[in-house]
Amino acid sequence: MDIVTVASRPYSDQRPGTSGLRKTVAHIRQPHYLENFIAATFSCLDGLAGATLVLGGDGRFYNDTAIQTIVKMAVAYDVGRILLGRSGILSTPAASCLIRKNHALAGIILSASHNPGGPDGDFGIKVNVANGGPAPESLTETIYRTSQRLTEYRIARIPDINLDRPGETVIGPTVVNIIDPVADYTDLMASLFDFDAIAALISNPGFSMRFDAMHAVTGPYAREIFINRLGAPSEVVLNGTPQPDFGGHHPDPNLVHARALVAMTQGDDGLDFAAASDGDGDRNMILGKNCFVNPSDSLAIITANADAVIGYRDRVRGVARSMPTSLAAQRVAEKQGIHHYETPTGWKYFGNLLDAGEITFCGEESFGTGSDHVREKDGLWAVLFWLNLLAVKKCSVAELLYRHWQEYGRHYYSRHDYEGIPRTNADTLIEQLRGKLAQLPGSRFGSRQITLADDFSYTDPIDGSVSHHQGIRILFSDGCRIVYRLSGTGTSGATLRVYLEQFEDNPQKLQLDSQQALVELIRIADEIAGIRKHTGYPRPSVVT
Ligand code: VG1
Ligand code: CO
């Protein structure tokens, strides 16, 4: 076995963001860039020699090239076994499932999630740890510091392996095991949900549905689950073949990027149910006939109705939501007497709470929902949860939603993104806002008064670790909230996210258009932060 040590020089920008290291493909393809980050990661994983590593990605451009490099490095770093998804494919939740099931030490998931792919698109590297979840900030910071001192890495000089041929190959100290990426995940889903009830719903001629895989990783998973296991006709899965450039689209399941699917739910003969997932299969969008389920509401409805689903009956301990996510789930937790936690943005902050059994469900406003079945958000899981609810409750998506609002009130909610603004403008906006925070409490805006204005900090209740600067929150006397933060997943310029929330429990006012309901708060958000002035944008580039 020819293992060589290659001299390298550190790159200064290998600090992982909200969800892994995310860069343009061109950036990742710089000499030694990928190798450096993998070497830094490997040297920070205690006990790597002889251990099991899960490896796969969302199939985007450069996925297979990067996998070949990582396999050769894993051999050089004495990894004992690599569990590799066939053709390099693993959805993020399936990778999490495999890490847990096989007691792997870690996983590497190659994905830039919902960001576009292709030679001119984005690429990403996510590192997961032994619980199946994203590496905690303590580890990503150590990897980053290591990357800044890196002067060399090791790699085996071996031919590329055939990623399409299942089975085991021994390469020096390492067994490379190419596995079916779909089977274990499908079994896990079958253990949580009532597949017979869902199959009966899907076969009912009065029920129409589509799942849009957006040319991304969930295609093979959706085909196995919906068509092979649940008996749906093949046309139920749209865009089901993963493509390196996602067909030239953003694999981002929201009202903007999944517009064609949304259109299929509109009108009297619109679909009864439609859903979509993102590049790496961890996000979900849920739609009913003429009806969109806001992700914050979805988390609340899943929590409130968990007893209807066999895998969750009588065992719900609590729910956590990322800070910008609406308070709808908290309202359910308070009423049901279960735990509730508010964490920073990013799935890594849920891991400790899930491991400690403090929570059963968790979610984010950014179309992410999940539970303690894995340690990642899980798109198809959420879709199956909703189908299971519809099958048991024998009602439509809209009925489930309206009933929930009637019982708990409605949290009108929207996120406004200002994408691709110059970094300095974004930093100035946030700095000026921070400078004003102390004076804001007590300020009046019409009938509203600010009761709290702070820069959110989080102390993990399990390990005591503290995370600062997790978004600026402005809370008002009537329960409204405005949150401002900068994205940590973009690859060019800066993206400002503004999150708006307003509670309503007047039964006459539960069915307004969200943007209409929030119009005054949107104006106040601009007045406080000078959004238009700093960004130069008259309106947000994406509204969800
Ligand atoms: C965004 C979302 C965040 C999510 C993250 C990763 O981060 O806001 O809620 O956890 O993407 O999602 P940011 O920093 O750009 O706001 V994805 O599906 O990687 O996995
Ligand atoms: Co994703």
Side-chain angles (χ1 to χ4, degrees):
M1 172 74 40
D2 187 11
I3 309 273
V4 294
T5 299
V6 180
S8 187
R9 266 200 317 239
Y11 284 91
S12 61
D13 63 352
Q14 297 198 324
R15 173 179 259 145
T18 314
S19 181
L21 186 70
R22 216 169 270 193
K23 302 285 174 194
T24 61
V25 168
H27 200 94
I28 296 266
R29 286 169 113 180
Q30 295 174 89
H32 312 300
Y33 193 91
L34 170 70
E35 291 88 339
N36 273 17
F37 186 73
I38 297 298
T41 301
F42 281 172
S43 62
C44 295
L45 291 173
D46 290 337
L48 183 68
T52 298
L53 181 75
V54 169
L55 178 59
D58 64 9
R60 68 177 60 222
F61 180 81
Y62 206 58
N63 193 56
D64 40 6
T65 312
I67 284 178
Q68 296 289 357
T69 301
I70 295 168
V71 167
K72 290 170 193 178
M73 290 184 69
V75 170
Y77 285 78
D78 293 320
V79 169
R81 178 179 291 271
I82 303 173
L83 293 175
L84 177 49
R86 189 180 56 237
S87 307
I89 290 290
L90 278 181
S91 78
T92 290
S96 185
C97 161
L98 284 167
I99 294 169
R100 295 170 66 77
K101 191 166 179 177
N102 296 283
H103 306 288
L105 176 76
I108 294 180
I109 307 166
L110 301 171
S111 174
S113 189
H114 54 288
N115 295 24
D120 301 321
D122 289 342
F123 196 76
I125 310 161
K126 304 198 281 185
V127 178
N128 283 34
V129 291
N131 73 351
E137 209 175 295
S138 54
L139 178 57
T140 55
E141 281 300 300
T142 313
I143 293 171
Y144 169 59
R145 281 197 303 274
T146 307
S147 78
Q148 290 182 303
R149 299 190 301 265
L150 203 106
T151 54
E152 58 181 40
Y153 61 85
R154 298 199 301 280
I155 189 160
R157 290 267 180 255
I158 47 173
D160 283 358
I161 57 168
N162 182 344
L163 298 177
D164 299 328
R165 197 177 58 217
E168 288 193 357
T169 316
V170 178
I171 311 174
T174 311
V175 179
V176 180
N177 194 354
I178 297 195
I179 56 169
D180 179 342
V182 171
D184 298 275
Y185 177 81
T186 304
D187 289 347
L188 178 59
M189 293 301 111
S191 75
L192 296 170
F193 300 111
D194 185 344
F195 270 27
D196 291 339
I198 299 174
L201 174 72
I202 292 177
S203 69
N204 182 337
F207 182 81
S208 56
M209 73 164 275
R210 292 287 182 273
F211 174 81
D212 187 349
M214 304 192 86
H215 307 284
V217 80
T218 47
Y221 296 86
R223 278 206 301 269
E224 176 62 20
I225 293 172
F226 294 124
I227 299 167
N228 299 345
R229 300 287 284 267
L230 295 168
S234 59
E235 63 263 23
V236 156
V237 177
L238 302 174
N239 305 315
T241 304
Q243 290 179 24
D245 66 348
F246 309 121
H249 303 290
H250 281 248
D252 195 354
N254 62 30
L255 296 173
V256 177
H257 294 299
R259 215 178 266 127
L261 184 73
V262 176
M264 294 170 78
T265 62
Q266 303 295 305
D268 288 346
D269 50 3
L271 295 168
D272 296 300
F273 181 83
S277 191
D278 70 332
D280 62 329
D282 56 1
R283 295 186 176 206
N284 73 90
M285 175 170 69
I286 304 291
L287 302 159
K289 186 179 288 188
N290 299 312
C291 161
F292 161 69
V293 183
N294 183 287
S296 297
D297 282 342
S298 180
L299 176 64
I301 289 168
I302 282 173
T303 307
N305 295 285
D307 278 350
V309 174
I310 187 81
Y312 296 92
R313 190 165 299 152
D314 297 328
R315 71 169 199 84
V316 177
R317 301 290 307 275
V319 59
R321 42 168 269 279
S322 67
M323 182 274 281
T325 303
S326 97
L327 300 177
Q330 177 171 349
R331 203 161 284 275
V332 173
E334 281 161 3
K335 200 157 177 180
Q336 297 201 343
I338 57 173
H339 301 152
H340 167 265
Y341 291 93
E342 180 178 48
T343 60
T345 295
W347 213 259
K348 56 181 172 247
Y349 296 102
F350 294 133
N352 279 347
L353 297 169
L354 291 163
D355 286 352
E358 286 292 302
I359 56 167
T360 308
F361 298 114
C362 41
E364 298 190 273
E365 51 66 43
S366 54
F367 298 82
T369 331
S371 87
D372 56 4
H373 69 292
V374 289
R375 294 293 179 272
E376 288 278 5
K377 55 187 183 267
D378 189 343
L380 278 166
W381 170 89
V383 176
L384 288 165
F385 204 114
W386 270 88
L387 285 170
N388 202 149
L389 284 184
L390 298 181
V392 173
K393 304 241 170 216
K394 305 203 185 310
C395 67
S396 69
V397 174
E399 281 163 351
L400 206 50
L401 193 58
Y402 295 149
R403 277 184 215 160
H404 187 87
W405 292 339
Q406 273 161 1
E407 185 172 354
Y408 293 93
R410 177 172 180 187
H411 292 258
Y412 280 102
Y413 189 84
S414 184
R415 183 174 104 183
H416 289 193
D417 292 335
Y418 298 80
E419 297 174 313
I421 52 180
R423 169 64 50 194
T424 47
N425 296 29
D427 290 342
T428 307
L429 183 150
I430 294 291
E431 277 318 308
Q432 292 190 358
L433 199 49
R434 275 200 189 112
K436 280 167 78 172
L437 288 177
Q439 294 103 279
L440 281 176
S443 312
R444 280 195 170 277
F445 296 85
S447 61
R448 299 195 167 104
Q449 190 168 22
I450 296 182
T451 52
L452 183 145
D454 72 356
D455 193 352
F456 182 60
S457 286
Y458 177 67
T459 303
D460 185 299
I462 311 301
D463 67 13
S465 58
V466 181
S467 304
H468 295 294
H469 303 307
Q470 296 299 322
I472 290 173
R473 319 186 271 187
I474 314 255
L475 274 54
F476 293 84
S477 47
D478 60 351
C480 285
R481 294 195 315 156
I482 302 173
V483 174
Y484 306 84
R485 59 180 283 282
L486 299 181
S487 159
T489 58
T491 56
S492 61
T495 293
L496 171 71
R497 303 202 195 285
V498 183
Y499 310 79
L500 305 137
E501 173 174 2
Q502 177 174 319
F503 180 65
E504 180 61 69
D505 59 359
N506 177 345
Q508 308 308 317
K509 294 188 181 168
L510 292 178
Q511 295 197 36
L512 305 175
D513 171 76
S514 297
Q515 302 306 316
Q516 283 303 321
L518 293 166
V519 77
E520 178 61 8
L521 204 59
I522 293 168
R523 196 194 56 70
I524 296 173
D526 186 42
E527 187 179 332
I528 292 175
I531 301 169
R532 281 184 293 181
K533 182 181 88 193
H534 287 290
T535 64
Y537 283 33
R539 64 188 70 82
S541 45
V542 176
V543 172
T544 49

